[in-house]
């Protein structure tokens, strides 16, 4: 899952980025509204964290313009002000949720998770189930046929992305766009290397594989393991 944080307070932006990365998300940061809009218009983010008071373009206008472009990724708005009018204006501009500064990081990350869940297929159940895999999107515990499997945060992020798109063929570009941030140096074989790690840990080394290679395209996580 890849998140864009648009926040002009550098210290807060870096705390949010680091904290979200510790939870396995890929995070890009923009420090003003114009940069935020540019990044959000060219990248398929899974969620945007958006401050309201921003230089160049404020968060409400940014959100309005995104919605006008038919970009429907969930938006969590942050603001220092807390009046009913501000909340109503924020929600009217297309934000999905609202958080008033200062906030506890625990609450922030819980709201991020809730918004990402709301967007997914399983609205309430935090467990994704594909074939004999069980993926807990809150604790990040992964089990195959009941057996706990230890994954690194990147391996987990790739597997979760597949599990949210079962049976869909995902290209290396799509995987990179949802799992890595802009600091990722694109090397054609990095995804393949991670798929190799995942297969080994999942015990998916022999045909028919759960995580199939689709030649010339990418990979696919199959709903059923025969
Ligand atoms: Ca601000």
């Amino acid at each position: 899952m890849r998140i864009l944080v648009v926040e002009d307070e550098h210290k807060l932006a870096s705390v949010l980025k680091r904290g979200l990365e510790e939870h396995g998300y890929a995070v890009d940061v923009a420090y003003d509204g114009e940069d935020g809009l540019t990044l959000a218009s060219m990248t398929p983010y899974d969620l945007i964290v958006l401050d309201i008071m921003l230089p160049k373009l404020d968060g409400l206008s940014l959100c309005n313009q995104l919605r006008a472009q038919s970009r429907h990724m969930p938006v969590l708005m942050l603001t220092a002000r807390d009046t009913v009018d501000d909340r109503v204006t924020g929600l009217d501009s297309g934000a999905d949720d609202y958080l008033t500064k200062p906030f506890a990081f625990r609450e922030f990350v819980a709201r991020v998770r809730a918004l990402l869940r709301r967007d997914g297929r399983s609205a309430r159940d935090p467990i994704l189930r594909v074939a004999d895999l069980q993926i807990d999107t809150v604790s990040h515990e992964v089990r195959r046929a009941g057996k706990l499997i230890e994954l690194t945060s990147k391996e987990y992020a790739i597997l979760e992305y597949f599990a949210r798109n079962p049976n869909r063929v995902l290209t290396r570009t799509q995987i990179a766009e949802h799992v890595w941030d802009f600091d990722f140096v694109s090397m054609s074989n990095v995804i393949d290397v991670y798929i190799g790690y995942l297969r080994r840990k999942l015990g998916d080394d022999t045909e028919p594989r759960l995580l199939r290679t689709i030649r010339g395209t990418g990979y696919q996580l199959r709903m059923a393991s025969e």
Side-chain angles (χ1 to χ4, degrees):
M1 297 297 234
R2 186 169 174 186
I3 296 174
L4 173 65
V5 174
V6 191
E7 168 60 73
D8 59 321
E9 289 166 45
H10 283 240
K11 207 173 146 199
L12 178 58
S14 73
V15 168
L16 296 181
K17 178 176 164 72
R18 213 176 322 123
L20 287 170
E21 283 172 350
E22 280 167 14
H23 283 76
Y25 300 106
V27 183
D28 297 312
V29 176
Y31 299 105
D32 67 62
E34 279 180 11
D35 277 357
L37 183 61
T38 306
L39 286 180
S41 304
M42 58 186 248
T43 315
Y45 288 105
D46 299 294
L47 179 127
I48 299 181
V49 177
L50 184 57
D51 187 28
I52 288 190
M53 302 286 277
L54 288 168
K56 295 187 186 172
L57 179 70
D58 68 86
L60 296 170
S61 311
L62 196 167
C63 195
N64 268 320
Q65 291 192 34
L66 268 186
R67 296 315 189 209
Q69 292 175 17
S70 293
R71 294 200 167 252
H72 298 296
M73 60 271 267
V75 170
L76 172 58
M77 258 187 195
L78 306 179
T79 185
R81 304 175 301 186
D82 185 20
T83 71
V84 173
D85 275 354
D86 285 338
R87 277 180 214 221
V88 170
T89 315
L91 295 170
D92 278 350
S93 75
D96 299 277
D97 199 4
Y98 203 97
L99 199 54
T100 306
K101 296 178 194 174
F103 48 81
F105 186 79
R106 264 179 357 128
E107 182 180 4
F108 168 76
V109 83
R111 285 183 192 237
V112 164
R113 266 202 306 263
L115 284 173
L116 289 170
R117 261 206 309 277
R118 205 194 286 177
D119 200 41
R121 294 178 310 126
S122 48
R124 295 215 172 68
D125 189 357
I127 312 279
L128 298 170
R129 293 177 180 84
V130 179
D132 57 356
L133 287 174
Q134 269 194 28
I135 297 159
D136 186 324
T137 57
V138 175
S139 68
H140 290 190
E141 268 184 16
V142 173
R143 289 172 189 276
R144 182 165 192 198
K147 187 173 159 260
L148 189 66
I149 290 164
E150 298 277 345
L151 298 179
T152 65
S153 65
K154 271 293 174 260
E155 291 161 356
Y156 172 82
I158 294 171
L159 186 64
E160 187 189 313
Y161 182 49
F162 273 106
R164 286 184 187 278
N165 297 279
N167 280 345
R168 221 178 107 193
V169 177
L170 300 173
T171 65
R172 291 175 180 80
T173 308
Q174 285 173 320
I175 298 166
E177 278 178 348
H178 282 274
V179 175
W180 273 275
D181 60 37
F182 271 119
D183 296 331
F184 173 59
V185 184
S186 179
M187 288 176 285
S188 60
N189 70 338
V190 167
I191 308 281
D192 304 318
V193 169
Y194 273 92
I195 296 288
Y197 294 155
L198 263 177
R199 279 179 173 155
R200 203 169 316 145
K201 290 192 178 177
L202 295 173
D204 194 31
D205 289 321
T206 51
E207 299 288 349
R209 292 184 203 268
L210 207 54
L211 208 47
R212 284 178 66 197
T213 303
I214 308 298
R215 236 166 254 296
T217 313
Y219 296 96
Q220 177 191 41
L221 181 64
R222 293 182 311 152
M223 283 296 273
S225 58
E226 300 112 46

